[in-house]
Amino acid sequence: MLTGSLLAWRMLKAPALNVTKRVKLPALLLIGYLCAAPIDSAHPRIDALLVVMATALLIAGNSDWLAQNLLTRAVEKLGDWSYSLYLVHWPLFALARTAYLDAVPLYVKYLLLLAALVLAYLQFEYVEQRFRYGWQVNRNKTFKRLAAASLLVVITPLSADLLRSWNGSAAKPTSRTPNWGLKQACSAGSLVFEHPEQCSSAAQPVYALWGDSYTMHLIPGLQNEKPIAESMIQITMAACAPILGLASLDKNYDETWAERCMAFNEKAIRFIESSPSIRYVIMSSPYSGYFDEGELTQFYQGKKIVGNRALAVEQMLTTLARLTASGKIPVLIAPPPDLGSMSANVGDTSKAACWCLAVTTAIFASKNTKSISAALSTA
């Protein structure tokens, strides 16, 4: 926008300014080349800067340097729609990426591109142009349309909220409320050892959920899976990853907290080992400060150290080996995609299915270049 503004100012000051075809043609080729083979992995940086400068050269001066034909007219039309296309394409592709939680299939991308082009045309023709030139044709009518569109933007979400209230489902939004699992008291780490029946859905649970708030947030979704819902026990402590003999330190969690976390995990695994009914141990955490690259501040063997992910991997393997040695089957849950607004207590997932139960101990081992087949031999 800054480059375009400066160019417009320059053209007003010097209308006779001209850029020859010998300059514009290489600029056009440069744009095409960068679209097909970017030279910079980060965006926006070098590629974006070169494209902006090349585009400025194409816009400057005369516009009759390129022959008019079907192709150039099509490109010109797309240029007219470009702002509308910019506005509509992003939500389409962003929602598709969120829906697939992985790479979007190529055929879906093509369908979304087609949909974006159609929507861009409709928005350009019936929104952008109407408000751009409508004031000159009928000022009152254009103002009424603008007011109606603005009112619609306000009314739509309010109407949706009102409809939910009428349906009795909007007493309290849950998407951003704290999620404690079975109950808040079970999140502190001590209740389950003193009164296990209060953090369990069965007298003889088969599934143990061990970890931090990322384990807690799985519970509403798992409650939709009847076999698990009817036979689970919650063994959780906020911010305490299910790794024996190691804790991560930062400005919010000091050595005193680390000792409590490690003591909790030792109690947890002893409880699991001594419970004959428990067969599966579902473990989840973001593992921040454990498996990150680089130097990590950790608490190990009673003191604060500067370690790295190799130590955390070793301790996790020790944890898994101890579980499998007692006849339990550990299942590791990868953290959900980072949406940039995750809080310590992840929001409600009561509508979710068990979509993330996919990372087994074998996968963990393969990702960390160390085999634990011997530890899993009893599973």
Side-chain angles (χ1 to χ4, degrees):
M1 294 180 67
L2 175 61
T3 302
S5 300
L6 291 174
L7 179 61
W9 174 81
R10 180 58 182 167
M11 292 298 295
L12 288 173
K13 293 292 184 178
L17 176 67
N18 189 28
V19 179
T20 66
K21 185 176 181 179
R22 291 181 180 180
V23 175
K24 290 192 174 189
L25 189 56
L28 178 61
L29 294 175
L30 176 62
I31 294 173
Y33 175 80
L34 292 175
C35 290
I39 61 176
D40 192 350
S41 59
H43 179 80
R45 201 163 60 182
I46 303 301
D47 286 354
L49 179 61
L50 291 175
V51 168
V52 167
M53 301 308 296
T55 303
L57 291 174
L58 294 180
I59 296 174
N62 296 331
S63 59
D64 58 354
W65 65 277
L66 201 58
Q68 289 291 307
N69 54 43
L70 183 62
L71 177 60
T72 55
R73 283 193 292 271
V75 172
E76 182 181 354
K77 186 62 66 176
L78 282 176
D80 291 339
W81 304 349
S82 62
Y83 185 67
S84 291
L85 183 61
Y86 159 72
L87 292 178
V88 302
H89 90 281
W90 185 87
L92 293 176
F93 282 87
L95 289 173
R97 186 174 180 85
T98 301
Y100 279 93
L101 295 175
D102 201 350
V104 179
L106 188 60
Y107 78 93
V108 174
K109 290 182 178 180
Y110 284 129
L111 290 175
L112 291 176
L113 178 59
L114 179 61
L117 289 172
V118 172
L119 291 173
Y121 162 72
L122 293 174
Q123 181 167 294
F124 172 78
E125 191 67 32
Y126 297 104
V127 178
E128 188 176 332
Q129 292 298 90
R130 296 293 175 91
F131 287 108
R132 184 179 181 184
Y133 297 109
W135 304 101
Q136 303 170 11
V137 179
N138 191 322
R139 182 178 295 272
N140 290 334
K141 188 175 182 180
T142 301
F143 176 78
K144 290 177 182 179
R145 286 176 175 175
L146 178 61
S150 301
L151 192 60
L152 184 63
V153 172
V154 175
I155 289 177
T156 300
L158 293 178
S159 301
D161 192 61
L162 185 61
L163 287 173
R164 287 193 305 146
S165 300
W166 286 344
N167 292 331
S169 61
K172 183 179 180 182
T174 58
S175 61
R176 294 297 178 193
T177 57
N179 186 339
W180 310 106
L182 294 177
K183 62 172 62 175
Q184 183 174 351
C186 298
S187 67
S190 59
L191 182 64
V192 66
F193 305 128
E194 300 167 1
H195 301 283
E197 72 281 356
Q198 295 191 30
C199 297
S200 176
S201 61
Q204 299 294 323
V206 175
Y207 300 89
L209 281 82
W210 177 22
D212 54 25
S213 59
Y214 278 67
T215 299
M216 300 176 205
H217 100 276
L218 296 174
I219 291 177
L222 291 172
Q223 286 176 324
N224 293 326
E225 299 293 321
K226 189 175 180 180
I228 302 177
E230 294 178 349
S231 190
M232 69 165 66
I233 185 167
Q234 177 179 339
I235 309 172
T236 57
M237 177 177 172
C240 185
I243 300 178
L244 295 176
L246 184 68
S248 174
L249 299 175
D250 59 30
K251 62 181 181 180
N252 298 314
Y253 300 100
D254 58 13
E255 289 91 332
T256 302
W257 172 88
E259 289 178 344
R260 288 196 294 109
C261 173
M262 291 166 61
F264 164 78
N265 281 331
E266 185 60 35
K267 282 186 179 181
I269 199 165
R270 289 182 182 179
F271 180 89
I272 293 168
E273 290 171 331
S274 63
S275 301
S277 64
I278 294 176
R279 178 61 173 159
Y280 301 96
V281 183
I282 299 172
M283 306 157 65
S284 184
S285 172
Y287 300 106
S288 300
Y290 294 90
F291 298 141
D292 298 335
E293 298 291 347
E295 293 185 347
L296 305 172
T297 305
Q298 299 169 331
F299 191 79
Y300 180 65
Q301 294 183 343
K303 60 182 179 180
K304 179 178 178 181
I305 65 168
V306 177
N308 55 50
R309 72 190 308 270
L311 178 58
V313 170
E314 185 65 33
Q315 292 303 117
M316 174 59 87
L317 294 172
T318 300
T319 305
L320 298 177
R322 188 164 163 183
L323 288 171
T324 54
S326 61
K328 316 302 180 183
I329 299 177
V331 180
L332 303 184
I333 310 298
D338 183 7
L339 302 180
S341 58
M342 293 289 185
S343 62
N345 293 299
V346 183
D348 177 69
T349 56
S350 57
K351 302 300 182 183
C354 184
W355 53 269
C356 56
L357 287 178
V359 182
T360 64
T361 51
I363 295 176
F364 177 84
S366 67
K367 293 293 184 182
N368 291 283
T369 66
K370 185 170 183 179
S371 173
I372 55 168
S373 57
L376 294 174
S377 61
T378 58

